[in-house]
């Protein structure tokens, strides 16, 4: 779509042991699964060949912005949907996929959908934007939540996840706020 914004987020991952790479690009305003539902384009490139595939949210929703941010490491792909709704409440989500990269036609298996932590306290401002930023590193996943309410101010937060030791996917490991962050600080706008 002319308003899809393909390339809003981009990540490149070399395929270990091969002269190949995967390029993942978010297209959050794509209307293929509903107005502004979003999608992700995956391009696998090798000498003299390439393969292109598109990936839609496993829970397509108009306005979810699937692909707002993306990151890939080894066989894991994390895709942020900063405006996805859970139980009718807009809070954002991150979908984790396992990518089978053993041939030129990768297969994407949905592993898990992560949603914002409620931690028994104030969850969100008007729009927490969980999944606004996504970063995979080793056994960790960091998710930026720049609109999250913390101690009465919308200063933002970062939620940290680690490999689930008894299952597949990730388990919540921590919630980080900026010390003394004023309202509208947008902590978690980007993470690495």
């Amino acid at each position: 779509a002319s308003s899809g914004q393909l390339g809003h987020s981009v990540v490149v991952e070399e395929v270990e042991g091969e002269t190949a790479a995967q390029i993942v690009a978010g297209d959050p305003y794509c209307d293929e699964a509903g107005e502004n539902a979003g999608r992700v384009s995956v391009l696998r490139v090798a000498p003299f060949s390439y393969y292109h595939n598109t990936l839609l949210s496993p829970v397509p929703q108009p306005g979810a912005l699937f692909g707002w941010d993306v990151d890939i490491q080894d066989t894991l792909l994390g895709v942020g949907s900063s405006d996805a709704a859970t139980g009718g409440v807009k809070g954002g989500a991150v979908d984790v996929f396992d990518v089978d990269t053993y041939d030129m036609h990768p297969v994407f298996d949905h592993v898990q959908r992560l949603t914002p932590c409620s931690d028994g306290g104030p969850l969100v401002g008007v729009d927490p934007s969980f999944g606004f930023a996504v970063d995979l590193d080793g056994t960790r996943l960091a998710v930026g939540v720049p609109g999250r309410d913390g101690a009465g101010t919308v200063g933002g937060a970062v939620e940290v996840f680690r490999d689930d030791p008894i299952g597949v996917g990730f388990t919540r490991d921590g919630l980080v706020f900026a010390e003394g962050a004023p309202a509208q600080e947008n902590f978690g706008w980007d993470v690495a």
Side-chain angles (χ1 to χ4, degrees):
S2 61
S3 62
Q5 293 191 8
L6 175 64
H8 184 274
S9 55
V10 177
V11 66
V12 178
E13 172 83 0
E14 288 187 47
V15 178
E16 189 175 335
E18 298 181 32
T19 55
Q22 290 189 112
I23 302 166
V24 180
D27 193 1
Y29 291 97
C30 176
D31 296 334
E32 184 175 337
E35 185 177 355
N36 297 334
R39 73 175 175 193
V40 170
S41 286
V42 180
L43 183 66
R44 182 160 171 145
V45 182
F48 309 108
S49 64
Y50 72 92
Y51 174 77
H52 177 253
N53 193 13
T54 57
L55 183 63
L56 298 175
S57 170
V59 186
Q61 301 172 351
L65 303 179
F66 180 76
W68 184 265
D69 199 21
V70 295
D71 197 22
I72 191 167
Q73 182 185 23
D74 299 326
T75 63
L76 288 180
L77 169 63
V79 180
S81 300
S82 63
D83 285 3
T86 302
V89 177
K90 184 171 99 171
V94 172
D95 288 291
V96 179
F97 298 86
D98 185 39
V99 184
D100 179 352
T101 59
Y102 294 109
D103 63 19
M104 280 302 290
H105 303 283
V107 176
F108 300 90
D109 293 319
H110 187 250
V111 173
Q112 181 178 28
R113 173 165 265 221
L114 301 167
T115 55
C117 167
S118 64
D119 75 1
L123 169 61
V124 295
V126 175
D127 180 7
S129 297
F130 179 87
F132 195 88
V134 177
D135 186 69
L136 287 159
D137 187 18
T139 61
R140 302 285 183 184
L141 168 66
V143 178
V145 197
R148 191 183 196 287
D149 192 353
T153 63
V154 182
V158 174
E159 290 198 43
V160 182
F161 299 82
R162 61 180 164 80
D163 274 348
D164 188 337
I166 58 172
V168 177
F170 291 93
T171 184
R172 190 168 273 108
D173 196 30
L175 181 63
V176 181
F177 296 98
E179 186 174 347
Q184 304 304 319
E185 182 68 18
N186 293 321
F187 181 71
W189 186 272
D190 201 3
V191 294

